[in-house]
Amino acid sequence: SEPSNFECALDIKSRSIKCGKGTYGEWNGLNIPHGRRTFWVRGTDNLGNVGEWKPYNFEVDSTGPDITFGDQETKTQNSPTFRWSSSEPAKFKCRMENSFIEEDCGNGTNAKWTGNEIPDGPHKLMVYGVDKMNNRGPLAELQFNVDSTGPKISFPANQPVVTKNNPTFRWTSSEAAKFKCALDNGHVNELDCGDGTSSHWTGTNIPDGHYKLLVYGTDDMNNRGPTAEHKFIVDNSAPVVTFNRADNVTNDTPQFTWSSEEDVSQFLCSLDGAAYVNCGRGRTGDWSRNVPHGQHVFFVKGQDENGNVGTPAEHTFNVDTRHPNVVIEPIPLKTSNRSTSIRWTSDEPARYLCSIDNAPETNCGFGTNGQKTTSELKDGDHTFILTAIDPVGNRAPILRRRWTVDTTGPKISFPAGQPTLTRNNPTFRWTSSEPATFKCALDGGQFNVHDCGDGISGRWTRTDIPDGVYKLLVYGTDDTNNRGPTAEHKFVVDSRPPEITFSGDLPETTSRNPTLTWSSSEYATFECKLEDGKIFNCGSGDDGIWSGRNMTDGAHSLSVRGTDALGNKGQFISRSWTVDESGPRLRFVGDLPSRARRLPRIRWISNEFAFFECSLNGRNYTSCGRGMQHSWTRHETPTGLLVFRVRGRDTKGNVGEPITVAIDIGA
């Protein structure tokens, strides 16, 4: 209320300190412990009067809220709810163990959090609170397990699939569960069948048939697992064996096959009353042994996987080991007929297999005799092969007959290297498929057959044959007078060089990069030369092309000749042209004054015909005549300096350098 010297104290007045002077004061605390506190202050005026202590009560809060989870179910389904309490009112933040994003999850002294579709497995919920003083409390954690999956039932691999009428089946579960079972044979009735992590089921007096045992489990979270099934067959009946193949007469290795109406764990066989031995399993079986000549009895019975043994099936048979004796009638050793008939006889009925020239055997009859007529055979040596097999499979020794067919004349072949383009003295060679006498003819508008050698090869030579297209014809006759086909060799006689013709028209005046093309009367290798006379290669083919580069202005020529594949070389033919890439060159005619009272007539000449363009005092060029010379003037010309320029443009569009004159026109 008046200027004073202040004393301040915290909690204990006797520990006061000076804390300012004036009509108002301020005190700042530092590192004050947590809890309730009292601040004291009093003043002493300038006359020494001491006022009363004035208290101010306040509370220091520097500790965050403590979160406490009560008793919680730590095993839950996938949408659990968890609750907690706080040591003081707070705003709460929550997150799961694999998330870095915190979410608001309530405020006050109590709150809860609910998860959504949390995957199965262990998890951790983390919660902290922030009080009104913005103090953050310690992180509280709650560990829990999510279980939303039912138990998985597994039948061990060794469970029987075929049983008698009182089967027992066992299974295991992925977790402790209560089990429900049902036997599915057209209707399903569930019943309790144990609990834990494994169990079993036993049936009694189940009729024969196909069944499925269905089992599922429910865990302590009431999650029902998928239904597992085990298929099995109840079989109390013994197998019935029936022969499929059982010949009454066999060779010394008889073979019998049979079948059963059900799968058999083992077939048991016996020959002629001997002890039964294992001879296979499954639904079918076969048996084959070396058995001596005579009559025998074979027995077979089946035993299924449940130990049921059936009644033996019985078969009586005879073993025959003698092969048939076969004789082939004689045939000619050489014939001109392409088809041949072969006959034979046997001392007992038999099935016959025939083969010509080692081709695959084919059936060719049954009985005590037979005949085989061959198809149209090619020329050459041939072999007939006959095999006889009696009804029980005894094979007679293989019989063969050999003969030769010859109806074809010699075949003439020209080797691949014979020339097809020659000069006028060709020689040609050939070979024959067999020794022969040769006849030749040259077909080129006339045909004269003549002898030209014998043996397995031949040669023909002629000289001075005119140019043209020809065929040499050759045929041979063998020692049996078979004439072979005529072979021909086509060839061309060429003694003329290629003829070169330039293509298109070439302007008299061209650019510095001209292109010339030509064609040849035949395929050729080209040689070229320019006006300097140096010969150079310039391509090959039926057509040619040459391009010049950066040629100088002036007259030029190109000469071309061709050489064909036989070396016939032609004469050079030439084409000339002029290169013009420069504009007209002008010059003034007569003396032109540098000063004049009036503009004189200005004359000039050009080195070539040109279109003239004029410019006065730097203005745009305009047309001002054409020809080899021209002149220009103006009758009304202003006084002062006059600058006149003129340039030429030739017929190719080349523009020359302008020439300039300056005249000072006086008044």
Side-chain angles (χ1 to χ4, degrees), residues 50 143 145 251 265 281 286 302-303 338 341 364 472 484 509 614 624 655:
V50 179
Q143 295 185 350
N145 275 287
N251 59 16
S265 61
R281 60 180 301 157
D286 63 88
Q303 177 178 322
R338 293 188 179 276
S341 292
C364 52
L472 174 62
T509 302
C614 297
C624 56
V655 178

Side-chain angles (χ1 to χ4, degrees), residues 69 93-99 124-128 139-142:
F69 288 102
K93 294 283 189 178
C94 300
R95 69 179 178 88
M96 291 288 288
E97 71 279 1
N98 291 325
S99 174
K124 184 165 58 178
L125 173 65
M126 291 171 279
V127 182
Y128 69 86
L139 190 68
E141 296 181 354
L142 177 66

Side-chain angles (χ1 to χ4, degrees), residues 162-164 235-239 262-266 268 301-311:
V162 180
T163 75
K164 292 204 172 184
D235 179 12
N236 283 311
S237 303
E262 62 175 301
D263 285 328
V264 170
S265 61
Q266 65 172 345
L268 300 169
K301 60 185 178 180
Q303 177 178 322
D304 65 19
E305 293 183 359
N306 292 324
N308 302 310
V309 180
T311 302

Side-chain angles (χ1 to χ4, degrees), residues 283-303:
R283 284 184 174 266
T284 60
D286 63 88
W287 179 91
S288 182
R289 296 289 188 276
N290 287 322
V291 180
H293 187 86
Q295 188 178 67
H296 301 275
V297 181
F298 176 70
F299 302 90
V300 60
K301 60 185 178 180
Q303 177 178 322

Side-chain angles (χ1 to χ4, degrees), residues 6 41 50 103 108 123 176 187 220 228 238 240 262 270 285-286 365 418-419 441 463 511 517 599 618 625 637:
F6 301 118
V41 62
V50 179
E103 60 183 61
H123 296 280
H187 59 277
D220 56 0
V240 176
E262 62 175 301
S270 171
D286 63 88
Q418 298 299 290
T463 58
S511 68
T517 60
L599 180 68
T637 305

Side-chain angles (χ1 to χ4, degrees), residues 145-364:
N145 275 287
V146 172
D147 180 7
S148 60
T149 304
K152 183 178 179 181
I153 306 300
S154 300
F155 287 97
N158 60 356
Q159 297 297 289
V161 293
V162 180
T163 75
K164 292 204 172 184
N165 60 358
N166 55 347
T168 294
F169 301 108
R170 303 181 183 278
W171 61 85
T172 60
S173 172
S174 59
E175 60 178 308
K178 293 181 180 179
F179 304 115
K180 293 283 190 178
C181 297
L183 188 62
D184 179 11
N185 61 343
H187 59 277
V188 178
N189 293 319
E190 289 186 355
L191 66 151
D192 294 331
C193 51
D195 54 37
T197 57
S198 64
S199 191
H200 68 277
W201 174 89
T202 300
T204 56
N205 297 324
I206 301 177
D208 283 10
H210 292 257
Y211 296 90
K212 285 191 294 187
L213 175 61
L214 309 177
V215 181
Y216 70 86
T218 304
D219 63 16
D220 56 0
M221 297 300 295
N222 206 32
N223 295 311
R224 171 175 168 168
T227 300
E229 68 175 39
H230 177 68
K231 296 179 180 180
F232 65 98
I233 299 171
V234 173
D235 179 12
N236 283 311
S237 303
V240 176
V241 175
T242 303
F243 283 104
N244 298 331
R245 175 186 170 187
D247 296 327
N248 294 325
V249 179
T250 74
N251 59 16
D252 59 352
T253 55
Q255 185 173 22
F256 304 124
T257 62
W258 58 86
S259 61
S260 170
E261 62 186 8
E262 62 175 301
D263 285 328
V264 170
S265 61
Q266 65 172 345
F267 290 111
L268 300 169
C269 296
S270 171
L271 180 64
D272 297 332
Y276 281 95
V277 295
N278 189 315
C279 54
R281 60 180 301 157
R283 284 184 174 266
T284 60
D286 63 88
W287 179 91
S288 182
R289 296 289 188 276
N290 287 322
V291 180
H293 187 86
Q295 188 178 67
H296 301 275
V297 181
F298 176 70
F299 302 90
V300 60
K301 60 185 178 180
Q303 177 178 322
D304 65 19
E305 293 183 359
N306 292 324
N308 302 310
V309 180
T311 302
E314 177 181 337
H315 177 65
T316 300
F317 63 99
N318 284 287
V319 172
D320 175 14
T321 60
R322 188 175 63 86
H323 67 74
N325 292 315
V326 180
V327 176
I328 298 179
E329 297 178 2
I331 61 173
L333 297 180
K334 189 172 186 180
T335 178
S336 60
N337 294 323
R338 293 188 179 276
S339 179
T340 299
S341 292
I342 304 169
R343 298 177 177 83
W344 62 86
T345 59
S346 171
D347 66 345
E348 65 171 310
R351 177 171 63 92
Y352 302 107
L353 301 175
C354 297
S355 171
I356 303 295
D357 296 334
N358 294 315
E361 292 181 325
T362 59
N363 287 318
C364 52

